[in-house]
């Protein structure tokens, strides 16, 4: 329903954003907090509880921005400049994480990782709030879908090539040198992505009325205003059937995304000092990005609900396989961890992209940013609690218990999403 005005620069912008999104994919794959930072944390002998709590800390950053940043994000004029700025901050976070390891102090590393992960949570959430709205303003629906899946695939191919090249070039070096080379590629990718997005043309400047509105207000007044605005928006949105349905689906799907960091923690415990451990995980997750696009694009022609249900089921199956092999080893550890991370990443990509595309197609323009922020904040509060519970379970029992628990939740999610999306179809028409 929500068709943006035709932009004469649409094809050029599509090409620019294609390169920028592919570079972002490389950057995220090479410095993914859920995989790379979790792996590095365990490799530096950080306690499993703290490594697991990194997930909760990142989600806490997400929640803060979703509650307090939605208003400014919706009224932001220079979205491309802000996206470029957030990419540069992500590059800086990767540098800080590597620099902290050079101190060889577990306390410095722990403190740096906590700060970096919180900052990543804040930045990625704010970027998400403006990114989807930015793309919806710049590209029409068909090009949005092409961009989402094609850039992800090309980014995955480039990540595999780069990760393998780094592995070959640094095979004689100690683990930290190899890990640093991987993160260096992420830093360069984010920096070039930041420069690329600035080349987008033909954007309308918006209202411009946001400047100075809240300049004179204090921090506490802004926080109070943000909270009251959040509560008002939530009450208003909950009166809308499309939002209630979307919120239920988002709540159910959240545990799918929580699978990946705990998969990475188990892998790091199994072969943290291995020459090929981190490279294998990066290549398998990048291969998943490469193949997830065409796989889910073909399934998506059926329905977004089918994609989300299949993604949840795939995450559940891969978690079960990982737990079974942990207690009754039948496959080499590096192989099973690579295969299961590949499968769960394919599942997560299907879930996140189908969910976003469903939202863009159904949310009215006037509620687009607010609805995204409100739903995210409610869901991320739940994810903070769930991640903390899983971290405690991993610490008191074993990471395999946390993976088994989230796999059961993922199976329940697949059944629930399939049923609710099936029921929703007549009403949506």
């Amino acid at each position: 329903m929500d068709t943006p005005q035709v932009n004469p620069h649409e094809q050029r912008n599509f090409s620019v954003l294609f390169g920028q999104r592919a570079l972002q994919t490389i950057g995220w794959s090479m410095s993914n907090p859920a995989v790379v930072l979790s792996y590095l944390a365990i490799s530096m002998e950080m306690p499993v509880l703290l490594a697991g709590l990194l997930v909760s800390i990142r989600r806490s950053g997400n929640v803060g921005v979703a509650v307090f940043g939605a208003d400014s994000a919706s009224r932001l004029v220079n979205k491309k400049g802000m996206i470029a700025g957030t990419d540069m901050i992500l590059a800086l976070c990767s540098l800080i994480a590597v620099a902290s390891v050079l101190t060889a102090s577990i306390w410095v590393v722990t403190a740096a990782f906590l700060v970096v992960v919180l900052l990543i949570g804040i930045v990625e959430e704010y970027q998400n709030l403006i990114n989807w709205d930015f793309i919806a303003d710049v590209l029409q629906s068909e090009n949005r879908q092409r961009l989402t899946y094609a850039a992800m695939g090309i980014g995955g191919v480039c990540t595999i090539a780069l990760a393998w090249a780094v592995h070959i070039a640094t095979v004689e070096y100690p683990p930290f040198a190899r890990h640093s080379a991987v993160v260096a590629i992420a830093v360069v990718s984010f920096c070039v992505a930041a420069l690329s997005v600035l080349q987008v043309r033909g954007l309308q400047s918006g209202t411009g009325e946001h400047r100075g509105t809240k300049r004179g207000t204090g921090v506490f007044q802004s926080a109070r205003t943000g909270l009251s605005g959040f509560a008002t928006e939530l009450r208003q949105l909950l009166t809308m059937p499309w939002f209630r349905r979307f919120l239920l689906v988002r709540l159910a799907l959240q545990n799918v995304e929580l699978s990946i960091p705990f998969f990475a923690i188990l892998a790091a415990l199994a072969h943290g000092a291995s020459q090929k451990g981190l490279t294998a995980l990066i290549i398998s997750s990048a291969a998943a990005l490469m193949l997830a696009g065409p796989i889910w694009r073909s399934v998506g022609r059926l329905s977004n609900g089918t994609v989300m249900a299949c993604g949840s089921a795939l995450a559940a199956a891969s978690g079960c396989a990982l737990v079974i092999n942990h207690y009754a080893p039948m496959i080499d550890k590096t192989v099973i961890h690579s295969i299961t991370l590949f499968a769960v990443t394919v599942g997560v990509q299907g879930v996140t992209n189908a969910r976003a595309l469903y939202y863009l197609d159904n949310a009215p323009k006037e509620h687009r940013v607010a609805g995204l922020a409100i739903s995210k904040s409610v869901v991320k509060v739940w994810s903070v609690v769930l991640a903390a519970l899983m971290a405690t379970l991993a610490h008191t029992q074993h990471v395999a218990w946390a993976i088994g628990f989230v796999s059961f939740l993922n199976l329940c999610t697949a059944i629930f999403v399939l049923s609710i999306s099936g029921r929703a179809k007549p009403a949506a028409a």
Side-chain angles (χ1 to χ4, degrees):
M1 295 279 189
D2 150 37
T3 307
Q5 290 187 331
V6 177
N7 186 335
H9 302 287
E10 171 131 357
Q11 280 311 114
R12 180 186 184 280
N13 288 343
F14 177 84
S15 302
V16 169
L17 287 172
F18 181 85
Q20 185 253 352
R21 296 273 289 201
L23 285 163
Q24 278 187 328
T25 299
I26 296 169
W28 270 110
S29 299
M30 294 292 201
S31 65
N32 190 340
V35 177
V36 178
L37 293 189
S38 296
Y39 190 97
L40 290 179
I42 293 295
S43 299
M44 286 299 297
E45 300 181 349
M46 189 181 291
V48 170
L49 178 62
L50 277 176
L53 285 176
L54 291 178
V55 184
S56 285
I57 291 166
R58 180 181 166 196
R59 301 293 178 183
S60 299
N62 293 159
V63 173
V65 173
V67 174
F68 300 115
D71 188 47
S72 67
S74 64
R75 293 182 290 116
L76 185 67
V77 172
N78 188 16
K79 287 187 173 70
K80 68 178 181 181
M82 184 58 72
I83 291 170
T86 52
D87 277 343
M88 294 298 289
I89 295 172
L90 290 172
L92 180 62
C93 287
S94 300
L95 279 176
I96 293 171
V98 170
S100 72
V101 180
L102 288 171
T103 66
S105 164
I106 187 63
W107 299 109
V108 173
V109 173
T110 300
F113 271 50
L114 294 177
V115 171
V116 161
V117 168
L118 178 63
L119 189 55
I120 287 174
I122 292 169
V123 169
E124 75 169 327
E125 189 65 24
Y126 196 73
Q127 189 180 76
N128 269 334
L129 284 177
I130 58 179
N131 203 33
W132 286 108
D133 196 43
F134 173 71
I135 289 173
D137 286 342
V138 173
L139 301 176
Q140 297 190 56
S141 181
E142 185 182 345
N143 277 337
R144 291 200 297 261
Q145 190 179 61
R146 284 173 58 210
L147 176 74
T148 299
Y149 290 123
M152 185 171 63
I154 293 298
V157 171
C158 294
T159 300
I160 292 171
L162 289 168
W164 185 249
V166 167
H167 175 69
I168 296 299
T170 62
V171 71
E172 304 293 333
Y173 291 79
F176 176 68
R178 296 196 302 273
H179 301 340
S180 299
V182 166
V183 176
I185 292 174
V187 171
V188 173
S189 298
F190 279 129
C191 290
V192 179
L195 296 174
S196 299
V197 75
L198 295 175
Q199 306 308 310
V200 171
R201 290 182 185 170
L203 283 173
Q204 293 183 308
S205 49
T207 61
E209 61 192 19
H210 70 294
R211 299 189 188 280
T213 317
K214 296 190 180 178
R215 272 236 153 127
T217 59
V219 175
F220 293 112
Q221 180 61 35
S222 296
R224 205 174 314 127
T225 305
L227 278 174
S228 65
F230 171 80
T232 303
E233 287 277 13
L234 178 59
R235 280 195 299 270
Q236 181 188 358
L237 287 165
L238 285 174
T239 63
M240 305 175 190
W242 69 268
F243 180 79
R244 291 199 302 271
R245 192 180 307 125
F246 178 72
L247 184 60
L248 280 174
V249 169
R250 276 215 70 154
L251 283 166
L253 291 172
Q254 191 56 37
N255 30 272
V256 179
E257 296 178 48
L258 290 178
S259 302
I260 291 179
F262 290 92
F263 278 41
I265 289 172
L266 184 59
L269 288 170
H271 42 75
S274 161
Q275 282 192 331
K276 55 189 177 182
L278 183 58
T279 301
L281 294 186
I282 291 174
I283 288 177
S284 63
S285 58
L289 294 179
M290 181 181 68
L291 295 176
I295 290 170
W296 295 126
R297 190 172 184 182
S298 59
V299 177
R301 292 193 180 102
L302 237 54
S303 76
N304 287 316
T306 304
V307 174
M308 292 184 284
C310 289
S312 303
L314 192 56
S318 58
C320 289
L322 192 55
V323 171
I324 290 169
N325 196 77
H326 174 75
Y327 288 109
M330 294 174 283
I331 304 173
D332 177 76
K333 286 181 179 179
T334 301
V335 173
I336 189 65
H337 287 130
S338 299
I339 291 172
T340 52
L341 184 64
F342 169 84
V344 76
T345 304
V346 169
V348 169
Q349 288 300 316
V351 163
T352 53
N353 286 302
R355 185 184 66 201
L357 291 169
Y358 167 81
Y359 184 80
L360 285 181
D361 287 341
N362 289 275
K365 166 65 179 172
E366 63 272 19
H367 297 299
R368 191 191 290 150
V369 174
L372 187 62
I374 297 296
S375 64
K376 278 190 171 195
S377 59
V378 172
V379 169
K380 296 278 167 90
V381 168
W382 160 239
S383 76
V384 168
V385 175
L386 182 58
L389 176 63
M390 289 174 61
T392 305
L393 185 61
H395 181 73
T396 55
Q397 300 296 324
H398 193 276
V399 185
W401 282 64
I403 294 172
F405 172 63
V406 80
S407 297
F408 172 73
L409 293 181
N410 288 337
L411 181 60
C412 296
T413 295
I415 297 167
F416 170 72
V417 169
L418 201 57
S419 66
I420 198 172
S421 63
R423 280 201 314 267
K425 271 184 181 177

